Amino acid sequence: MTSVLLLENIHDTAVGRFAEAKLEIERRSGAPVGDDLCAALQAHELVGIRSATHLHRHEINAAQHLLAIGCFCIGTSQVDLNAAAQAGIPVFNAPFSNTRSVAELVIAEAILLLRRVPEKSALAHTGKWAKGSSGSFEARGKTIAIVGYGNIGSQVGVLAEAMGMRVVYYDAHAKLSIGSARAAQSLVDAVSQADVVTLHVPATARTNRMIDAEALAHFKMGAALINASRGSVVDIDALAHALKERRLGGAAIDVFPEEPKANADVFDSVLQQLPNVILTPHIGGSTEEAQENIGTEVATKLISFLTTGATEGAVNFPHVSPGPLSAPARLLNVHVNVPGALATLNTRLAGEGSNIVAQHLQTKGETGYVVTDLDRVPSKGLIESLSIAPGFVRSRLLMKSGK
Ligand code: NAI
């Protein structure tokens, strides 16, 4: 029976999916390391981790039966992706599961900042009554500039437009505008017309401190900045300066250049003493719904790979979607991406009289992955000969009978 090891309290939705697929499930709450981790991996074909379990090259190579890795989170930097690809192991994650959670938080923060709720709330907590409408605005009719119009950015645009906001966006690449959103010509063009600027770019060399003193100087007087993307994107000292001199009316910051590693660690920021600033501990995507979605999405990808060989969505592997198995047998071969691998495979299949019903080949970097549907079950000898053929990394056979 195929078994899956689920570490770090992976959500029950994943457990349900694996149980439906009749897999043996071992659950552990922690994130084992070193020998403990190697020993735990020995008995399983699939492993599910979150961000605390680190899978290095030696642990991946020592896991003899491991077929695939599921990261039940967004990031995959905790896994040596090259080592996994070289071992013929695809790595799956859930890149879109928390998109809506981030977008909703951003919209809520835009409204709170426009109404100056953070500073009024802080005053009320200290017994002060700051009733008044001066400097408080509705979101309706205001302009939101979305920097990075990808999954999250475009979702923010949809929600903002539904509230009557005017949406402009700036992206490094040409994007299809959703609804009435309009593309700005440049970052300066976007931020200079916005009442609220929200950042949704990845951390790259080009986005590093993209919002610095120079960029902030182009913001409209009294505009608000929201950053729920990555901590490196904003120069926090420059932001603090712009807030102190009231050039900016407020900010909501969820991600920081330096973040505490654990909840018990102290969080320290120059923004802490400033009014109309919302500080949150990197929780943009942290909702029960996102965890549920992650559980379902990654478990579904792992089961699909197990039962059909599909690698759609794998972060380190060529993408092949062969569909359900209708032929008597399906051979899955991972090989080094060099000329001749497909010829070797097909010559050996022809040699024992196997006819190819369908064949899908994709390559990515050094890895080649070929899925071959056959009119008969190939011999054990053929599978064994492929396992030692030069350039062949691993072979797996699926049979329609399920045996
Ligand atoms: P995505 O990849 O779908 O979108 C990013 C967009 O930024 C793309 O359209 C890309 O073309 C654009 N972009 C890249 N470089 C750019 C540049 N120099 N100037 C302008 N545009 C540029 O990513 P997604 O899923 O929308 O995530 C956005 C950010 O949100 C990421 O940094 C991600 O790490 C972060 N995030 C934060 C969470 C939180 O808890 N606060 C949760 C989930 C994601």
Side-chain angles (χ1 to χ4, degrees):
M1 194 177 187
T2 306
S3 76
V4 55
L5 172 65
L6 297 177
L7 301 172
E8 302 183 60
N9 287 326
I10 284 168
H11 200 275
D12 285 347
T13 53
V15 179
R17 293 308 308 263
F18 289 125
E20 272 168 34
K22 305 214 178 332
L23 266 63
E24 204 170 272
I25 303 163
E26 183 186 338
R27 289 181 91 176
R28 294 201 190 180
S29 56
V33 291
D35 290 348
D36 262 6
L37 178 57
C38 284
L41 289 171
Q42 281 308 311
H44 304 280
E45 284 83 10
L46 303 176
V47 62
I49 62 170
R50 292 173 68 188
S51 52
T53 305
H54 288 257
L55 290 170
H56 308 99
R57 183 176 289 275
H58 65 275
E59 284 135 1
I60 291 168
N61 288 342
Q64 287 174 7
H65 305 292
L66 195 62
L67 297 175
I69 296 168
C71 296
F72 286 76
C73 48
I74 312 298
T76 52
S77 57
Q78 70 280 35
V79 178
D80 185 332
L81 297 177
N82 282 334
Q86 283 162 9
I89 296 174
V91 178
F92 298 94
N93 68 339
F96 316 122
S97 296
N98 61 9
T99 300
R100 175 72 185 207
S101 304
V102 181
E104 285 191 12
L105 183 68
V106 166
I107 293 297
E109 289 176 337
I111 297 172
L112 294 177
L113 293 174
L114 285 167
R115 295 292 293 271
R116 307 201 73 82
V117 168
E119 63 181 292
K120 286 176 192 285
S121 171
L123 288 170
H125 276 272
T126 61
K128 298 199 176 82
W129 195 242
K131 184 171 163 64
S133 54
S134 173
S136 294
F137 300 96
E138 290 183 353
R140 179 174 52 174
K142 302 299 174 301
T143 298
I144 186 165
I146 299 167
V147 180
Y149 196 62
N151 295 310
I152 297 173
S154 54
Q155 184 85 201
V156 168
V158 169
L159 297 179
E161 200 168 291
M163 293 196 308
M165 295 188 85
R166 186 175 156 264
V167 178
V168 294
Y169 65 87
Y170 168 66
D171 198 286
H173 301 105
K175 295 278 168 169
L176 175 71
S177 301
I178 297 176
S180 306
R182 288 184 315 104
Q185 299 307 310
S186 64
L187 179 64
V188 169
D189 180 26
V191 302
S192 60
Q193 51 181 311
D195 302 289
V196 179
V197 176
T198 182
L199 310 175
H200 301 289
V201 289
T204 64
R206 276 183 68 197
T207 62
N208 190 37
R209 294 187 176 214
M210 133 189 247
I211 303 299
D212 57 5
E214 198 187 327
L216 287 165
H218 291 284
F219 277 47
K220 256 171 85 170
M221 206 59 165
L225 173 70
I226 301 174
N227 185 18
S229 63
R230 296 293 288 270
S232 57
V233 179
V234 176
D235 178 339
I236 293 286
D237 289 332
L239 171 63
H241 186 69
L243 286 162
K244 274 183 201 150
E245 61 176 19
R246 298 267 171 184
R247 149 139 230 106
L248 251 61
I253 306 297
D254 186 47
V255 287
F256 301 85
E258 303 283 328
E259 294 180 5
K261 299 239 176 315
N263 282 358
D265 297 347
V266 173
F267 167 63
D268 189 28
S269 170
V270 289
L271 302 174
Q272 277 162 333
Q273 305 312 324
L274 297 172
N276 211 35
V277 173
I278 300 171
L279 300 177
T280 47
H282 202 147
I283 42 91
S286 305
T287 60
E288 295 284 348
E289 288 87 348
Q291 289 308 314
E292 273 177 43
N293 293 342
I294 288 170
T296 308
E297 184 176 338
V298 181
T300 303
K301 287 174 179 172
L302 287 171
I303 292 164
S304 174
F305 173 68
L306 194 69
T307 54
T308 72
T311 52
E312 198 66 44
V315 293
N316 64 335
F317 223 70
H319 289 180
V320 174
S321 306
L325 177 59
S326 52
R330 173 171 290 172
L331 193 52
L332 313 171
N333 294 106
V334 185
H335 57 83
V336 180
N337 182 17
V338 290
L342 196 58
T344 303
L345 172 65
N346 290 351
T347 306
R348 290 184 189 206
L349 286 168
E352 65 171 36
S354 282
N355 202 21
I356 294 173
V357 177
Q359 194 163 46
H360 311 259
L361 166 74
Q362 285 295 334
T363 60
K364 178 175 177 171
E366 292 172 5
T367 308
Y369 181 47
V370 57
V371 176
T372 310
D373 286 357
L374 298 163
D375 70 342
R376 70 191 66 184
V377 177
S379 69
K380 272 197 178 138
L382 181 125
I383 309 276
E384 277 162 18
S385 81
L386 285 174
S387 70
I388 51 166
F392 277 74
V393 177
R394 66 167 66 197
S395 301
R396 183 158 69 97
L397 181 66
L398 301 175
M399 287 187 272
K400 187 139 198 301
S401 61
K403 285 179 200 152

